[in-house]
Amino acid sequence: MSERKFNSTNTLNEFFLEERCTLNKVLKIIGKRWVSEVLVLIKQDVSRFSNLKECLDGISDNVLSSVLNELVKSKLIGKEIFNQVPLKVEYHITPSGLALTNVLHQLCDWGKEHIAYETRMKPTFARKDGKD
Amino acid sequence: MSERKFNSTNTLNEFFLEERCTLNKVLKIIGKRWVSEVLVLIKQDVSRFSNLKECLDGISDNVLSSVLNELVKSKLIGKEIFNQVPLKVEYHITPSGLALTNVLHQLCDWGKEHIAYETRMKPTFARKDGKD
DNA sequence: ACTCATACTCCTTTTTTTATTAGTAACTCA
DNA sequence: TGAGTTACTAATAAAAAAAGGAGTATGAGT
């Protein structure tokens, strides 16, 4: 993580919005790539780092790790460490996280109803891993 | 806007997520800074460019402009141009946009219940405009 | 002694997002 | 003629997010 510059307009604007409405704080948390997916997978009992990684084809270790840390910090998931070898760690959704997934579900339903299907530009070549 | 590189992992991952669930498309639209604020203001009948700018202290012309364009493109708001001088343009929420604000409202309620109040780091110096 | 596995962290580079600055048209009013 | 208005766009710079690649601890198995 690089340092934040606290006096940039960028940061001031972020503060302005978060102060203005909680909605902006919420969107700041869940608006980042992978976050909602990870949350939903954990809700569905995909509870280990390696399993999450399998499900989220293309995510890198470091990104998954930081997403998990953010979710723990926001108390949307809990982390349980088992002292055994090889190391085992499990993540579980919290009541707060569960409540959030319900709203996210509605957001998704809105999308299904209102976002027009459009022929999206597709990547020209296949993924490195051959899928897609 | 600079060109997208369609074969970067970055872009492939974005496609992966959007294909996986509509939720990611939705979050891609509303997860960006200012977007939800602008949508809500327009819902509250703040319908002109200059009025929106007044409300959103710190936003720059070009950013507001691109947020409005995105919202129009996503059909969350409509744009009406009056041919008079000085030029007048009005934005109005669409039924689809209205439905979205209802879900956003719930998201906000979730935040109010579940996001802990924390003493946020405050910018060291005041805004250029002297507010805050 | 060496390799393996899990679940990470750290540092660097790439890509995207957000902001800054300057400029436009078209017509009005002084 | 020249300044003022609204609602922009375009080019560029700064900041943040995302990805790439290497490295770590702990024992257990061979």
Side-chain angles (χ1 to χ4, degrees), chain B residues 61-92:
Chain B
D61 279 18
N62 118 47
V63 171
L64 177 54
S65 176
S66 74
V67 166
L68 286 167
N69 285 340
E70 282 297 309
L71 285 171
V72 169
K73 213 176 93 192
S74 307
K75 305 218 170 75
L76 297 172
I77 62 174
K79 177 176 184 172
E80 197 181 354
I81 301 168
F82 298 83
N83 260 325
Q84 59 185 55
V85 169
L87 181 56
K88 181 176 159 183
V89 175
E90 281 191 1
Y91 297 95
H92 296 288

Coordinates of all heavy atoms in Angstrom, one line a residue, chain B residues 61-92:
Chain B
D61 N -16.0 20.3 -13.4 CA -16.9 20.3 -14.6 C -16.8 19.0 -15.4 O -17.8 18.3 -15.7 CB -16.6 21.4 -15.6 CG -17.1 22.7 -15.1 OD1 -17.5 22.9 -14.0 OD2 -17.2 23.6 -16.0
N62 N -15.6 18.6 -15.7 CA -15.4 17.5 -16.6 C -15.8 16.2 -15.9 O -16.4 15.3 -16.6 CB -13.9 17.5 -17.0 CG -13.1 16.4 -16.6 OD1 -13.6 15.2 -16.8 ND2 -11.9 16.6 -16.1
V63 N -15.6 16.1 -14.6 CA -16.0 14.9 -13.9 C -17.6 14.8 -13.8 O -18.2 13.8 -14.1 CB -15.4 14.8 -12.5 CG1 -16.0 13.7 -11.7 CG2 -13.9 14.7 -12.6
L64 N -18.2 15.9 -13.5 CA -19.7 15.9 -13.4 C -20.2 15.6 -14.8 O -21.2 14.8 -14.9 CB -20.2 17.3 -13.0 CG -21.7 17.5 -13.0 CD1 -22.4 16.4 -12.2 CD2 -22.1 18.8 -12.4
S65 N -19.6 16.1 -15.8 CA -20.1 15.9 -17.2 C -20.0 14.4 -17.5 O -20.9 13.8 -18.1 CB -19.2 16.7 -18.1 OG -19.5 16.4 -19.5
S66 N -18.9 13.8 -17.2 CA -18.8 12.3 -17.5 C -19.7 11.5 -16.7 O -20.2 10.5 -17.2 CB -17.3 11.9 -17.5 OG -16.9 11.7 -16.2
V67 N -19.9 11.8 -15.5 CA -20.8 11.1 -14.6 C -22.2 11.2 -15.2 O -22.9 10.2 -15.4 CB -20.8 11.6 -13.2 CG1 -22.0 11.0 -12.4 CG2 -19.5 11.2 -12.5
L68 N -22.6 12.4 -15.6 CA -24.0 12.5 -16.2 C -24.1 11.7 -17.5 O -25.1 11.1 -17.8 CB -24.2 14.0 -16.5 CG -24.5 14.9 -15.3 CD1 -24.4 16.4 -15.6 CD2 -25.9 14.5 -14.7
N69 N -23.0 11.8 -18.3 CA -23.1 11.0 -19.6 C -23.2 9.5 -19.3 O -24.0 8.8 -20.0 CB -21.8 11.2 -20.4 CG -21.8 12.6 -21.1 OD1 -22.8 13.2 -21.2 ND2 -20.6 13.1 -21.4
E70 N -22.5 9.0 -18.3 CA -22.6 7.6 -18.0 C -24.0 7.2 -17.5 O -24.5 6.2 -17.9 CB -21.6 7.2 -16.8 CG -20.2 7.1 -17.3 CD -20.0 5.9 -18.2 OE1 -20.5 4.8 -17.9 OE2 -19.4 6.1 -19.3
L71 N -24.6 8.1 -16.7 CA -25.9 7.9 -16.2 C -27.0 7.9 -17.3 O -27.9 7.1 -17.3 CB -26.3 8.9 -15.1 CG -25.6 8.7 -13.8 CD1 -25.9 9.9 -12.9 CD2 -26.2 7.4 -13.1
V72 N -26.8 8.7 -18.3 CA -27.7 8.8 -19.4 C -27.5 7.5 -20.2 O -28.5 6.9 -20.6 CB -27.4 10.0 -20.3 CG1 -28.1 9.9 -21.7 CG2 -27.8 11.3 -19.6
K73 N -26.2 7.1 -20.4 CA -25.9 5.9 -21.2 C -26.6 4.7 -20.6 O -27.1 3.8 -21.3 CB -24.4 5.7 -21.3 CG -23.9 5.1 -22.6 CD -22.4 5.1 -22.7 CE -21.9 3.7 -22.2 NZ -20.4 3.7 -22.0
S74 N -26.5 4.6 -19.3 CA -27.1 3.5 -18.5 C -28.6 3.6 -18.4 O -29.2 2.8 -17.7 CB -26.4 3.4 -17.2 OG -25.1 3.3 -17.3
K75 N -29.2 4.7 -18.9 CA -30.6 4.9 -18.9 C -31.2 5.1 -17.5 O -32.3 4.8 -17.2 CB -31.4 3.8 -19.6 CG -30.9 3.6 -21.1 CD -32.0 3.3 -22.0 CE -31.6 3.4 -23.5 NZ -30.9 2.2 -23.9
L76 N -30.3 5.6 -16.6 CA -30.8 5.9 -15.2 C -31.4 7.3 -15.1 O -32.2 7.6 -14.3 CB -29.7 5.7 -14.2 CG -29.1 4.3 -14.2 CD1 -27.9 4.3 -13.3 CD2 -30.1 3.3 -13.6
I77 N -30.9 8.1 -16.0 CA -31.5 9.5 -16.1 C -31.7 9.8 -17.6 O -31.1 9.2 -18.5 CB -30.6 10.6 -15.5 CG1 -29.2 10.6 -16.2 CG2 -30.3 10.3 -14.0 CD1 -28.3 11.8 -15.8
G78 N -32.6 10.8 -17.8 CA -32.8 11.3 -19.2 C -32.3 12.7 -19.3 O -32.3 13.4 -18.3
K79 N -32.0 13.1 -20.5 CA -31.5 14.4 -20.7 C -32.4 15.2 -21.7 O -32.8 14.7 -22.7 CB -30.1 14.3 -21.3 CG -29.4 15.6 -21.7 CD -28.0 15.3 -22.2 CE -27.2 16.5 -22.5 NZ -25.8 16.2 -22.8
E80 N -32.7 16.4 -21.3 CA -33.6 17.2 -22.2 C -32.9 18.6 -22.5 O -32.5 19.3 -21.5 CB -34.9 17.5 -21.4 CG -36.0 18.0 -22.3 CD -37.3 18.2 -21.5 OE1 -37.3 17.9 -20.3 OE2 -38.3 18.7 -22.1
I81 N -32.7 18.9 -23.7 CA -32.0 20.1 -24.1 C -33.0 21.1 -24.6 O -33.8 20.9 -25.5 CB -31.0 19.8 -25.2 CG1 -30.0 18.7 -24.7 CG2 -30.3 21.1 -25.6 CD1 -29.1 18.2 -25.8
F82 N -32.9 22.3 -24.0 CA -33.8 23.4 -24.4 C -33.0 24.4 -25.2 O -31.9 24.8 -24.8 CB -34.3 24.2 -23.2 CG -35.2 23.3 -22.3 CD1 -34.6 22.5 -21.3 CD2 -36.6 23.4 -22.4 CE1 -35.4 21.7 -20.5 CE2 -37.4 22.6 -21.6 CZ -36.8 21.8 -20.6
N83 N -33.4 24.6 -26.4 CA -32.6 25.5 -27.3 C -32.9 27.0 -27.0 O -33.7 27.6 -27.7 CB -32.9 25.2 -28.8 CG -31.7 24.3 -29.3 OD1 -30.6 24.5 -28.9 ND2 -32.1 23.4 -30.2
Q84 N -32.3 27.5 -26.1 CA -32.4 28.9 -25.7 C -31.1 29.4 -25.2 O -30.1 28.6 -25.0 CB -33.5 29.0 -24.6 CG -33.1 28.2 -23.3 CD -34.2 28.3 -22.3 OE1 -35.3 27.9 -22.6 NE2 -33.9 28.7 -21.1
V85 N -31.0 30.7 -25.1 CA -29.7 31.2 -24.7 C -29.9 32.1 -23.4 O -30.8 32.9 -23.4 CB -29.1 32.1 -25.8 CG1 -27.9 32.9 -25.3 CG2 -28.7 31.3 -27.0
P86 N -29.1 31.8 -22.4 CA -28.0 30.8 -22.4 C -28.6 29.4 -22.4 O -29.7 29.2 -21.9 CB -27.3 31.0 -21.1 CG -27.9 32.1 -20.4 CD -29.1 32.5 -21.2
L87 N -27.9 28.5 -23.0 CA -28.3 27.1 -23.1 C -28.9 26.5 -21.8 O -28.4 26.8 -20.7 CB -27.1 26.3 -23.5 CG -27.3 24.8 -23.7 CD1 -28.4 24.5 -24.8 CD2 -26.0 24.1 -24.1
K88 N -30.0 25.8 -21.9 CA -30.5 25.1 -20.7 C -30.7 23.6 -21.0 O -31.2 23.2 -22.0 CB -31.9 25.7 -20.4 CG -32.6 25.2 -19.2 CD -33.8 25.9 -18.9 CE -34.8 25.1 -18.1 NZ -36.1 25.8 -17.8
V89 N -30.2 22.8 -20.0 CA -30.3 21.4 -20.1 C -30.9 20.9 -18.8 O -30.5 21.4 -17.7 CB -28.9 20.8 -20.4 CG1 -29.0 19.2 -20.4 CG2 -28.3 21.2 -21.7
E90 N -31.8 19.9 -18.9 CA -32.4 19.4 -17.7 C -32.2 17.8 -17.7 O -32.4 17.2 -18.7 CB -33.8 19.7 -17.5 CG -34.0 21.1 -17.0 CD -35.5 21.4 -16.6 OE1 -36.3 20.5 -16.7 OE2 -35.7 22.5 -16.1
Y91 N -31.9 17.3 -16.5 CA -31.8 15.9 -16.3 C -33.0 15.4 -15.4 O -33.3 16.1 -14.5 CB -30.5 15.5 -15.7 CG -29.3 15.9 -16.6 CD1 -28.6 17.1 -16.4 CD2 -28.9 15.0 -17.5 CE1 -27.6 17.4 -17.2 CE2 -27.8 15.4 -18.4 CZ -27.1 16.6 -18.2 OH -26.1 16.9 -19.0
H92 N -33.5 14.3 -15.8 CA -34.6 13.7 -15.0 C -34.4 12.2 -14.8 O -33.9 11.6 -15.7 CB -36.0 14.0 -15.6 CG -36.3 15.4 -15.7 ND1 -36.6 16.2 -14.6 CD2 -36.2 16.3 -16.8 CE1 -36.8 17.4 -15.0 NE2 -36.5 17.5 -16.3

